Amino acid sequence: MLLNYINNYKDIIETINKYKIINNRDIRLIVVSKTQDYKKVIELEKLGQRDFGENYLAEAIEKINQIDNPNIIWHYIGTIQSNKIKSLSENFSWIHTVASEKHAQKINDVCKNLNKVMNVCIQINIDNEDTKGGVSVDDYDALSLIVRNMKNMKLKGIMTIPKVNQSCIESFAKMREIYNRCDYLDTLSMGMSKDYISAIENNANMLRIGQQIFGERK
């Protein structure tokens, strides 16, 4: 039973590889390892998995230190808190949830001191949900211009989490339109365990999958 996640992972990789061939483009999988034992990350890395996503900073830092593997690329996909940006910038290579000039400026300043360039995605609140982070579609262009002018951040893409209780197809299509008109982007980060096929069909090239691999969180 313990190795079910290995088989689940292999099944997802097989599915993604089929879509890579059909669409003739790369699709990158981030394994969302929040709340999972660090030993599972080690086992998946042995199979060639490089990208792992974490939501909770304290848990992530403990895991990163326990694993201590420079081959792993750590993606922060949780809510950004101003007082944790220094630790965030020290421990991650990607931040997917930039949604304000204030946070962008602080990440840039910290990364300047660290002499590193942070890969970032701007999170878009595509369904205008009050309970969800991200910029509105209308505010995206202004924020993207600000981020693109920062020397210690590289705006790689856009990210979204669609509304849970409705079809994601329309939301993903809107994200695809934004992505397609922004030739400075190379990453469309959308699609999770229950909707990643729809995301791929709408040009997503970075998926964030946890539950489909590890099972329901307890």
Side-chain angles (χ1 to χ4, degrees):
M1 287 295 287
L2 288 174
L3 291 178
N4 273 356
Y5 73 94
I6 297 278
N7 294 328
N8 294 342
Y9 170 76
K10 287 178 177 175
D11 287 345
I12 283 171
I13 289 293
E14 193 178 326
T15 301
I16 290 170
N17 285 340
K18 282 179 190 167
Y19 278 96
K20 281 183 184 179
I21 293 163
I22 292 165
N23 297 314
N24 192 27
R25 62 185 167 84
D26 193 41
I27 301 166
R28 193 166 167 183
L29 170 64
I30 299 173
V31 170
V32 179
S33 46
K34 66 175 177 184
T35 74
Q36 300 299 326
D37 191 296
Y38 75 95
K39 291 173 186 169
K40 292 180 181 177
V41 174
I42 292 171
E43 290 306 311
L44 291 177
E45 193 275 337
K46 286 177 189 170
L47 295 175
Q49 179 62 32
R50 293 287 176 269
D51 297 283
F52 291 87
E54 292 282 331
N55 291 60
Y56 310 118
L57 187 59
E59 179 202 333
I61 291 171
E62 186 180 348
K63 210 173 278 180
I64 289 164
N65 290 334
Q66 283 171 316
I67 296 165
D68 191 25
N69 184 341
N71 292 325
I72 290 178
I73 300 163
W74 293 99
H75 299 250
Y76 185 72
I77 56 176
T79 303
I80 298 171
Q81 293 174 272
S82 291
N83 63 339
K84 295 182 178 174
I85 282 174
K86 184 172 182 290
S87 295
L88 202 57
S89 301
E90 287 169 345
N91 287 281
F92 288 85
S93 299
W94 283 69
I95 300 174
H96 286 244
T97 47
V98 172
S100 74
E101 182 180 354
K102 177 186 162 191
H103 285 162
Q105 189 63 61
K106 195 157 184 183
I107 294 165
N108 190 66
D109 292 345
V110 171
C111 287
K112 185 179 179 183
N113 292 333
L114 294 171
N115 195 27
K116 78 185 275 188
V117 176
M118 181 65 72
N119 298 303
V120 300
C121 294
I122 289 176
Q123 182 176 356
I124 297 179
N125 187 345
I126 200 68
D127 296 315
N128 297 316
E129 293 179 85
D130 294 337
T131 55
K132 206 163 272 175
V135 296
S136 69
V137 172
D138 291 342
D139 291 336
Y140 166 74
D141 285 326
L143 183 58
S144 72
L145 188 60
I146 289 164
V147 173
R148 282 157 64 203
N149 283 320
M150 291 182 175
K151 291 195 168 120
N152 290 84
M153 291 170 76
K154 171 67 178 163
L155 180 57
K156 298 288 286 177
I158 50 176
M159 176 272 227
T160 201
I161 304 165
K163 197 178 271 189
V164 176
N165 299 318
Q166 68 177 36
S167 168
C168 57
I169 294 169
E170 193 178 324
S171 305
F172 286 163
K174 286 182 199 166
M175 288 292 290
R176 183 186 68 216
E177 284 170 19
I178 298 166
Y179 177 69
N180 286 347
R181 72 171 167 78
C182 298
D183 59 3
Y184 53 85
L185 300 176
D186 63 24
T187 301
L188 180 52
S189 171
M190 63 184 192
M192 299 187 291
S193 288
K194 291 177 179 170
D195 57 22
Y196 75 94
I197 300 295
S198 288
I200 293 171
E201 289 169 347
N202 279 281
N203 285 16
N205 55 13
M206 190 175 271
L207 313 170
R208 309 179 307 273
I209 299 177
Q211 221 172 79
Q212 192 80 12
I213 295 168
F214 298 113
E216 297 275 347
R217 281 190 299 281
K218 289 169 185 164

